[in-house]
């Protein structure tokens, strides 16, 4: 009996010893810049063991720094606390509608092709395009890999953004994201501001060139947006105002109620319907 206990205790000690090094070597989150460089080195080791090429890691992290701008943005998202009218005014809802109608006419063949394939009409796609980047006019100024790395390191949502960082590295590895790419403060990419994991899941080669380029190809960005909405339950021919079947897909795009309602209103105005 005692011998059995000793054997069990010895086995337990061996198992603990086997587990501890892996735990100790895991990249540890932090709440300021102090531990970021050490975290990067630990993370690179983990990422290499998960199949990310060392050469890709070296290129991807060559210019990565702790982003104070990203942390400020993460802690201060105030516009979503506005009323719907205030939000529409602040985000230029009427200007998006006016220009969006022109964009629909100028790109009619593209939007017809997207609707035929994904069942999503032009209005909500254009509303998202206009709301996110002014139709590709401003994609953001933050270094994408620094933004995602900072949020993966930051303790507030470390697990979520660690997944986003792995997705970004996979995009770099397959040639669909430049290590020098710049975008929004949370690492959103391209003309409709996809997070990296959503590019992997819903990204579409809309122009048929063999790559998914969310930055330079409006066809890729807009087709990917339609694919995202379809992936979140969009049903061809159904309405997309609050209470209608496709509003849930718009809710999947952004969690803020005022944003969801604005997309529905702007989309309907562009499509020539009512809301």
């Amino acid at each position: 009996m005692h011998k059995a206990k000793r054997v069990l205790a010895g086995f337990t000690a061996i198992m603990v010893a086997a587990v501890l090094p892996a735990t100790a070597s895991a990249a540890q989150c932090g709440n300021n810049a102090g531990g970021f460089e050490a975290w990067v080195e630990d993370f690179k080791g983990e990422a290499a063991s998960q199949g990310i090429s060392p050469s890709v890691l070296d290129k991807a992290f060559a210019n990565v720094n702790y982003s104070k701008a990203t942390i400020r943005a993460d802690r201060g998202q105030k516009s979503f606390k506005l009323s719907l009218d205030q939000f529409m005014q602040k985000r230029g809802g009427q200007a998006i509608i006016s220009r969006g109608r022109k964009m629909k006419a100028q790109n009619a063949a593209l939007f017809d092709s997207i609707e035929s394939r994904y069942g999503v009409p032009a209005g909500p796609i254009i509303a998202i395009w206009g709301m996110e980047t002014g139709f590709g006019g401003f994609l953001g100024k933050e270094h994408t890999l620094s933004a995602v790395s900072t949020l993966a390191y930051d303790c507030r949502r470390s697990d979520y953004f660690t997944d986003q960082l792995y997705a970004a590295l996979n995009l770099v590895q397959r040639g669909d994201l430049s290590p020098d790419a710049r975008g929004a403060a949370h690492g959103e990419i391209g003309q409709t501001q996809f997070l990296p994991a959503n590019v992997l899941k819903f990204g579409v080669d809309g122009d048929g060139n063999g790559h998914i380029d969310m930055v330079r190809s409006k066809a890729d960005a807009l087709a990917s947006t339609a694919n995202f909405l379809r992936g979140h339950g969009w049903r061809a021919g159904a309405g997309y105002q609050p209470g209608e079947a496709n509003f849930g897909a718009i809710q999947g795009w952004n969690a803020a109620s005022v944003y969801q309602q604005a997309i529905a209103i702007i989309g309907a105005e562009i499509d020539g319907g009512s809301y």
Side-chain angles (χ1 to χ4, degrees):
M1 185 72 173
H2 292 296
K3 183 177 180 182
K5 287 183 178 179
R6 285 197 299 272
V7 170
L8 180 59
F11 177 76
T12 301
I14 290 170
M15 291 301 293
V16 169
V19 169
L20 280 177
T23 303
S25 66
Q28 300 296 308
C29 71
N31 292 312
N32 56 54
F36 182 71
E37 290 185 9
W39 177 90
V40 166
E41 292 307 311
D42 286 345
F43 178 82
K44 286 170 67 176
E46 293 174 17
S49 73
Q50 296 298 317
I52 305 296
S53 161
S55 63
V56 167
L57 289 168
D58 287 343
K59 286 190 295 184
F61 283 98
N63 295 309
V64 163
N65 294 292
Y66 183 82
S67 175
K68 293 181 179 178
T70 287
I71 294 299
R72 284 196 301 272
D74 189 59
R75 305 298 193 260
Q77 299 181 62
K78 297 177 181 178
S79 66
F80 293 144
K81 298 176 183 178
L82 300 174
S83 70
L84 177 58
D85 286 346
Q86 290 170 330
F87 183 78
M88 286 283 284
Q89 184 174 7
K90 182 178 179 65
R91 300 296 285 266
Q94 287 303 314
I96 293 172
I97 291 166
S98 178
R99 190 174 172 203
R101 289 170 174 161
K102 296 175 183 176
M103 299 300 282
K104 180 180 178 179
Q106 291 169 5
N107 299 276
L110 173 61
F111 286 113
D112 286 347
S113 173
I114 288 173
E115 183 168 9
S116 176
R117 182 173 180 182
Y118 301 103
V120 185
I125 301 171
I126 295 172
I128 290 169
W129 190 23
M131 185 81 78
E132 294 287 356
T133 66
F135 308 100
F138 181 67
L139 307 186
K141 62 182 181 179
E142 304 305 326
H143 184 247
T144 296
L145 287 168
S146 290
V148 181
S149 297
T150 297
L151 292 170
Y153 162 71
D154 185 63
C155 290
R156 193 169 85 87
R157 290 186 287 172
S158 180
D159 288 347
Y160 179 80
F161 278 99
T162 295
D163 289 344
Q164 298 295 336
L165 180 54
Y166 271 112
L169 292 171
N170 275 286
L171 292 173
V172 173
Q173 185 155 270
R174 74 185 196 187
D176 288 341
L177 180 68
S178 166
D180 298 319
R182 291 189 175 270
H186 288 76
E188 299 95 334
I189 297 167
Q191 297 195 33
T192 55
Q193 301 285 273
F194 268 51
L195 283 168
N198 284 331
V199 179
L200 286 183
K201 188 171 184 180
F202 299 109
V204 172
D205 177 15
D207 57 19
N209 72 349
H211 283 282
I212 299 170
D213 187 345
M214 303 293 285
V215 174
R216 289 169 294 190
S217 172
K218 67 183 175 185
D220 289 4
L222 299 176
S224 298
T225 304
N227 192 39
F228 177 100
L229 292 171
R230 185 177 69 172
H232 284 75
W234 192 281
R235 299 206 321 255
Y240 56 83
Q241 297 306 302
E244 296 182 325
N246 287 328
F247 189 68
I250 293 175
Q251 290 176 307
W253 181 268
N254 190 293
S257 176
V258 290
Y259 192 106
Q260 298 159 5
Q261 294 173 72
I263 292 300
I265 291 168
I266 293 168
E269 290 279 4
I270 292 169
D271 279 338
S274 59
Y275 58 91

